[in-house]
Amino acid sequence: MTGGPVGVALVGAGVISSQYLTALSSFPDVTVLSVADLDVERARAQAEAFGVPAHGDLASALAIPEVEIVVNLTIPAAHAEVATAALQAGKHVYGEKPLALAPSDGAKILAEAQARGLRVGSAPDTFLGAGLQSATRAVRAGLIGEPVSATAVTQGPGPESWHPSPEFLFQYGAGPLFDIGPYYLTALVSLFGSVTRVAATSRQARTQRVIGSGPKAGTVFDVEVPTHVHALLDFASGPSTSATFSFDSAVPRRMIEITGTEGTLSLPDPNTFEGPLQIRKFGEKEWRDLPVAGTTAGRGVGVLDMARAIRSGGQHRASGELAQHVLELMASITDSGERHGFVGLESGAPAVETLPEDWDPVAPTLT
């Protein structure tokens, strides 16, 4: 393919697919050609709901010549297998987070893509939204001086109360660190760059949980991963971060604050694309709102940025290399929590350019 909109197939027709299909269907620079799932009837229902012309299993999606990007929305345990199959079929891959369950698997995906001259992208793409992009511009413009430290917190009672099938969120490859952590860690890494070492503590409040809604309400299931993780991160660029990821709190909190030599910046929830963005300088008694500019189109803007980069030959921002560094970071936090010591990281994060303030996902740019 040399021009025109980029053909896309979604693999995985679960809960998150509706958000992707809503956004991608509104972008003229991509065309959703197929929805695939192990449950073909579920794929059919999503395809019909969003006017997608084809549905079926993974093989049927990979057989469509016009499909250039496979958007991998399967459960974490299947991420590496589906990504590898797509790459071997000659397709670029954009996947939900995490890139894979283990850094070694992530590295294999990137190596496969490089060998074939293909691209890998990965969620989360919320760091490309107006709120976090405006925060990055503010920090890089020196509004709080030189960044010194950051505090990141995501805590709440866990998703079993509302999710109809939450078991996989408490299995290896998920938990608060691997499921919610990527939003916070990707936001910080895209802003500060590579993490050099981490230290962490972790625990599991309960060995079993109960599904609270849907047809399986009342079902008891086992918890396989830590449900409360606290970590310290050192960035190569200088700042340090204290981060908490928890499914064990009765009080929900979602925050990132960046402290600099001239003030503090309060970032929006990194699991969203919007504001508010606030600043408070030394001597000021109240927070002040900062203007927020950029896209709020939702999940899928990373796919669009990747599609446009395929056509232009430029670099896409929600890259596999960024996701691989975040994956290694989460694995290192897990390792440190088990053996109670600092763990160094081997990979580095690529520099991420901010999106132009007027970047418009619904304006056609590919002809």
Side-chain angles (χ1 to χ4, degrees), residues 31-333:
T31 302
V32 182
L33 299 173
S34 177
V35 178
D37 196 279
L38 287 172
D39 183 343
V40 176
E41 281 304 303
R42 184 164 67 171
R44 178 194 59 77
Q46 284 295 77
E48 290 182 354
F50 289 91
V52 177
H55 69 273
D57 59 11
L58 173 62
S60 69
L62 298 182
I64 300 173
E66 294 80 9
V67 168
E68 298 177 65
I69 300 175
V70 168
V71 179
N72 181 7
L73 306 183
T74 57
I75 62 172
H79 284 182
E81 179 183 356
V82 172
T84 301
L87 291 167
Q88 290 176 347
K91 314 296 186 183
H92 305 284
V93 176
Y94 182 97
E96 251 302 327
K97 45 75 185 168
L99 178 62
L101 292 186
S104 57
D105 291 330
K108 290 176 183 177
I109 292 171
L110 296 183
E112 185 77 26
Q114 184 176 20
R116 295 176 180 273
L118 296 168
R119 293 177 184 250
V120 175
S122 178
D125 56 4
T126 46
F127 76 97
L128 299 177
L132 294 177
Q133 287 288 290
S134 297
T136 300
R137 295 187 196 103
V139 171
R140 293 179 180 175
L143 266 63
I144 57 169
E146 187 72 18
V148 175
S149 65
T151 301
V153 177
T154 175
Q155 65 180 44
E160 74 275 16
S161 63
W162 59 266
H163 199 293
S165 296
E167 298 96 327
F168 77 96
L169 295 171
F170 293 84
Q171 295 170 353
Y172 181 68
L177 176 59
F178 276 74
D179 182 48
I180 306 298
Y183 298 106
Y184 291 76
L185 298 173
T186 302
L188 291 165
V189 170
S190 69
L191 202 162
F192 292 142
S194 303
V195 175
T196 57
R197 64 174 187 162
V198 301
T201 60
S202 61
R203 63 165 296 173
Q204 186 186 94
R206 302 189 296 279
T207 60
Q208 293 183 320
R209 300 217 176 191
V210 181
I211 299 176
S213 65
K216 296 192 289 185
T219 302
V220 177
F221 63 93
D222 292 333
V223 176
E224 300 177 2
V225 293
T227 49
H228 184 92
V229 179
H230 184 70
L232 299 175
L233 288 62
D234 281 340
F235 287 85
S237 60
S240 60
T241 291
S242 169
T244 300
F245 312 95
S246 181
F247 284 167
D248 293 336
S249 174
V251 181
R253 287 194 179 91
R254 311 282 186 269
M255 63 165 286
I256 297 179
E257 288 184 1
I258 301 174
T259 297
T261 54
E262 297 179 16
T264 297
L265 198 65
S266 176
L267 277 60
D269 180 348
N271 196 0
T272 68
F273 288 81
E274 302 177 357
L277 177 63
Q278 297 181 311
I279 191 170
R280 184 169 172 179
K281 295 208 171 189
F282 286 101
E284 296 180 342
K285 296 183 179 180
E286 303 290 340
W287 292 96
R288 291 184 287 115
D289 287 337
L290 290 177
V292 171
T295 182
T296 57
R299 283 165 173 78
V301 296
V303 179
L304 175 61
D305 181 54
M306 181 172 163
R308 289 177 173 177
I310 289 170
R311 290 288 186 264
S312 70
Q315 295 297 316
H316 61 286
R317 293 165 175 83
S319 68
E321 291 75 16
L322 175 61
Q324 173 69 3
H325 186 68
V326 171
L327 175 58
E328 187 192 352
L329 173 54
M330 294 188 295
S332 298
I333 290 171

